[in-house]
Amino acid sequence: MSLGAKLKIGPAMIVAATAAVGVAGMLLAGAAQADKLIRYDANSKNFWLHPPGDWYMGGETEELKGTDFAKTLPPPTGFTRAEVEARLKNIKLPPGFKIEIYASGVRSAREMALGDKGTLFAGSFTGGIVSAVVDEGGKKVVKTILKGLRMPTGLAFRDGALYVADIDKIYKYANAEDNLDHMPAPTVVYDDMPPYTTHGWKYLAFDKNGWLYVAFGPPCNICLPPTSTAQVRHINPANGLAELVAIGIRNSVGGDVDPRTDQYWFSENGRDWLGSDIPSDKLNHIARMGEDFGFPYCHGGDIPDPDLAMGHKCSEFTPPVFKLGAHMAPLGMKFYTGDQFPADYKDSIIIAEHGSWNRHQYQGGRLVRITVDPDGKNAKQEVFASGWIGPNNKYLGRPSDVLVAKDGSLLVADDYNSAIYRISYSK
Amino acid sequence: MTPVRPLLFAFGLVALLLCCGGASAADVAAGKATAEGCAGCHGADGISQMPLVPSLAGEPDYFIQWQLVFFRGGSRKNEVMGPIAEALSDEEIRNLGAYYASLPPPKPQPAPTSDALAQAGAELAAKHRCQVCHGNDYSGSGPTARLAGQREDVLLKALRDFKSGARVGSGVSSMADVVYGLSDDDMRALAHYMATRP
């Protein structure tokens, strides 16, 4: 039976004969046609392997027409330190907290990882590089330590080695901090990974035993995904073994292991083009092996997919721990494990919300804090840092990851401003 | 959700910062000075006389900048341009973008009056809708290249590089997927057609 027959593909999913053949990747501006709404049938291997350049536009609606991922990209060389400094004046924090630049010129900074000797590593979304920030006589110096990768968004550090996830491989660079100027050739520690670049960029989180949690995003906005995607795996980089721990997950590029239980929690980006205020992005918690979080049948915990629900009800799936709101784009997240912030911050979750593209009035562009019991009950949210969406609906920065530094301050990566900030607290 | 209400001072500041695409104002004269080091290959006025070296005159500002950022970061691999771009600062890249964008584009390559190859190229361009991204007159915009009047050998090499995977563009998914359905004959026709466009 063809996929189409199984899925009862509605008219909305049929590829318009004139659908853009082209692909310019996410850098292209305005591939959208002025007159027609863009439609793609994303349910085929050909689409997954050769997505049109504006694959994320398929499913366009009158309500959201005019929104375009490409419009939310920063200029090629980012911003100068002085510009970033000025933008930080717009950021609001609770009393006692302050934000400053930790390093600027960290190109397209995504997930961060901290070395034992104090090196801060950062992956990137565009440009294919990994950066390192080192302290040289009190001055932060930024080095490009790896080049020519594809989308090295996900990093982790353990026992002297830097781990980098790049679409379909996880690399290990031994003794990374001693070799920043001449990084050693990597070993591939895991490559049982699908080749799709769409939502193929990743985030890495080590548990206490040295296994990695890694989410595999579906190669589409909405589709019945390849069985190798829309899931979270638990991977042992020491021997390349892996287990499948959860399914039904859309694009997740943030997660952390609960210091209280060693269980995995992760952020998840809801599908696009359903509406300005639906579906909600999610904070999820894997309490037991094999949970299904609902993609592509159910979104935000409460909205059956208009084309793909195929009779499934949302009640069949694990609900989110917390509904973060639509088009917030939650990315990197960490449990706060430091001692510097007020006592009630301990073990709460701080999430970097990158902010919308598929919404006329952007929202997100901030850090939120969720306090929640280890079993997922009693979740409460407060806004921790805001102001990266300025007047006129313009981005003044886009938080992409957070990391608790050794002194208990919070480092924040911003891939729009190509900067790392430090948020600290004193009474 | 209500937008963040800006403080008055912040508003002024922000308006200033956002006026020019967000990046600091580029210095065309400084770009011109840096470009003296490029002229040996790319031509004195950004119009290349050298085989397989692209003309840069009249390319969109951001196209120039992105390609230099890609060369610098190694995601566009080229033995000549890699080390050259590595030596460029962000500021120099911004100035070079502004400078080359300010120059008049190259004149199209002369074409015979009856040009079957260009005719085939025109049909392929329509079929594959190159204009959607490259503009109605193929002059490019933003991160998308000018094709009109570019050297034919450069265009053909670019298409073949995308096809072979030697060039991956933005790194997400890019021209590689446009050329996926093109044969080598198609690419030759397209390169010829674009090179002869005014």
Side-chain angles (χ1 to χ4, degrees):
Chain A
M1 209 201 315
S2 79
L3 248 186
K6 260 192 236 160
L7 292 177
K8 297 194 218 79
I9 290 176
M13 297 172 61
I14 293 171
V15 200
T18 53
V21 178
V23 170
M26 303 178 100
L27 282 186
L28 74 101
Q33 273 184 290
D35 45 347
K36 279 205 188 97
L37 295 175
I38 301 173
R39 291 279 170 272
Y40 290 122
D41 177 4
N43 294 295
S44 75
K45 186 154 188 180
N46 194 52
F47 182 94
W48 303 332
L49 284 172
H50 305 285
D54 57 352
W55 60 268
Y56 50 88
M57 298 296 287
E60 217 185 6
T61 58
E62 289 297 345
E63 179 194 4
L64 294 171
K65 196 171 170 60
T67 66
D68 184 344
F69 180 92
K71 291 182 185 165
T72 60
L73 287 168
T77 53
F79 300 89
T80 64
R81 190 181 177 98
E83 286 164 333
V84 177
E85 196 104 56
R87 289 162 163 234
L88 279 190
K89 298 205 166 66
N90 207 49
I91 305 308
K92 290 168 198 64
L93 290 159
F97 287 91
K98 74 163 201 232
I99 186 165
E100 66 205 311
I101 297 182
Y102 179 86
S104 61
V106 187
R107 295 177 214 294
S108 188
R110 295 292 277 233
E111 189 175 5
M112 297 176 285
L114 200 53
D116 297 332
K117 298 174 184 167
T119 308
L120 182 74
F121 298 94
S124 64
F125 189 76
T126 53
I129 61 160
V130 173
S131 307
V133 185
V134 290
D135 199 284
E136 282 181 7
K139 206 170 159 267
K140 295 282 184 282
V141 177
V142 181
K143 302 178 179 204
T144 302
I145 58 163
L146 298 175
K147 296 171 140 202
L149 296 167
R150 294 162 73 201
M151 298 192 74
T153 46
L155 303 189
F157 190 92
R158 194 173 168 99
D159 296 336
L162 177 70
Y163 294 80
V164 179
D166 188 20
I167 307 284
D168 59 356
K169 286 183 185 59
I170 300 176
Y171 298 104
K172 174 183 178 178
Y173 298 85
N175 292 324
E177 285 187 281
D178 298 332
N179 295 289
L180 294 177
D181 294 319
H182 304 279
M183 286 288 276
T187 45
V188 175
V189 292
Y190 188 69
D191 65 356
D192 179 17
M193 296 163 81
Y196 317 117
T197 46
T198 300
H199 290 151
W201 47 94
K202 299 198 163 54
Y203 194 87
L204 297 179
F206 268 118
D207 71 5
K208 285 182 188 147
N209 299 321
W211 289 56
L212 289 161
Y213 281 101
V214 189
F216 289 68
C220 56
N221 166 37
I222 177 73
C223 60
L224 189 66
T227 52
S228 54
T229 67
Q231 59 192 239
V232 168
R233 300 185 199 177
H234 192 211
I235 299 167
N236 184 354
N239 58 13
L241 293 180
E243 49 188 13
L244 180 56
V245 292
I247 60 170
I249 295 154
R250 196 173 170 277
N251 176 30
S252 169
V253 269
D256 196 15
V257 166
D258 190 335
R260 302 167 294 187
T261 62
D262 216 24
Q263 287 178 338
Y264 190 61
W265 299 61
F266 61 97
S267 62
E268 185 189 358
N269 288 266
R271 65 155 290 186
D272 294 313
W273 302 112
L274 271 192
S276 293
D277 298 311
I278 54 165
S280 179
D281 293 329
K282 302 192 279 183
L283 172 65
N284 296 314
H285 167 216
I286 304 177
R288 49 173 184 80
M289 191 107 175
E291 277 178 298
D292 187 339
F293 290 85
F295 182 84
Y297 315 107
C298 171
H299 307 290
D302 48 16
I303 299 175
D305 190 87
D307 293 309
L308 283 183
M310 295 195 277
H312 290 285
K313 295 193 176 61
C314 285
S315 58
E316 292 170 41
F317 306 106
T318 302
V321 165
F322 193 83
K323 293 179 186 169
L324 294 163
H327 303 291
M328 296 296 183
L331 303 188
M333 54 165 268
K334 290 285 181 306
F335 282 87
Y336 182 75
T337 49
D339 294 318
Q340 186 187 98
F341 290 5
D344 70 311
Y345 278 71
K346 195 88 177 177
D347 297 335
S348 59
I349 300 169
I350 299 182
I351 306 177
E353 292 184 343
H354 202 223
S356 324
W357 68 264
N358 187 219
R359 194 177 195 277
H360 290 293
Q361 176 66 51
Y362 299 149
Q363 56 187 14
R366 60 184 190 173
L367 306 179
V368 295
R369 176 165 83 101
I370 311 275
T371 48
V372 57
D373 298 345
D375 60 1
K377 298 223 168 74
N378 298 315
K380 281 188 286 294
Q381 169 178 292
E382 75 184 36
V383 175
F384 176 56
S386 63
W388 280 286
I389 296 172
N392 312 328
N393 202 30
K394 289 281 199 281
Y395 279 112
L396 301 178
R398 302 187 75 186
S400 55
D401 193 29
V402 290
L403 180 113
V404 183
K406 285 208 178 84
D407 67 355
S409 60
L410 186 79
L411 301 181
V412 182
D414 177 337
D415 64 349
Y416 191 84
N417 287 343
S418 287
I420 311 281
Y421 315 120
R422 177 175 180 267
I423 297 180
S424 56
Y425 177 78
S426 60
K427 273 195 257 294
Chain B
M1 179 156 280
T2 45
V4 180
R5 198 157 279 286
L7 298 173
L8 255 180
F9 79 89
F11 185 83
L13 188 71
V14 161
L16 191 74
L17 289 178
L18 291 173
C19 76
C20 318
S24 34
D27 182 340
V28 173
K32 183 175 174 153
T34 311
E36 277 169 24
C38 322
C41 295
H42 290 283
D45 38 11
I47 295 172
S48 161
Q49 310 296 336
M50 235 192 239
L52 297 175
V53 177
S55 291
L56 302 177
E59 285 285 3
D61 181 353
Y62 274 16
F63 171 75
I64 298 283
Q65 290 196 43
W66 275 118
Q67 298 305 315
L68 290 171
V69 166
F70 290 158
F71 283 129
R72 190 171 66 178
S75 60
R76 179 168 173 189
K77 294 177 175 57
N78 184 266
E79 278 170 19
V80 177
M81 281 308 300
I84 291 173
E86 222 164 279
L88 297 173
S89 68
D90 284 348
E91 196 182 344
E92 285 170 319
I93 288 179
R94 284 195 276 267
N95 295 341
L96 284 163
Y99 168 64
Y100 283 117
S102 75
L103 297 177
K107 297 215 164 45
Q109 173 183 307
T113 31
S114 155
D115 193 345
L117 195 56
Q119 186 53 39
E123 280 159 25
L124 284 160
K127 181 174 162 212
H128 292 281
R129 298 173 63 247
C130 313
Q131 283 170 318
V132 170
C133 300
H134 288 278
N136 287 340
D137 56 356
Y138 302 106
S139 63
S141 67
T144 311
R146 158 182 288 277
L147 303 177
Q150 180 58 276
R151 293 180 60 95
E152 186 168 340
D153 57 352
V154 165
L155 292 167
L156 183 57
K157 176 174 186 289
L159 291 171
R160 284 176 172 162
D161 283 354
F162 285 126
K163 178 107 187 176
S164 72
R167 187 167 160 191
V168 293
S170 71
V172 182
S173 60
S174 72
M175 276 297 297
D177 298 294
V178 173
V179 295
Y180 174 64
L182 299 177
S183 68
D184 204 63
D185 282 346
D186 292 345
M187 295 194 281
R188 283 192 290 125
L190 282 162
H192 180 71
Y193 173 65
M194 297 302 173
T196 53
R197 284 308 86 208

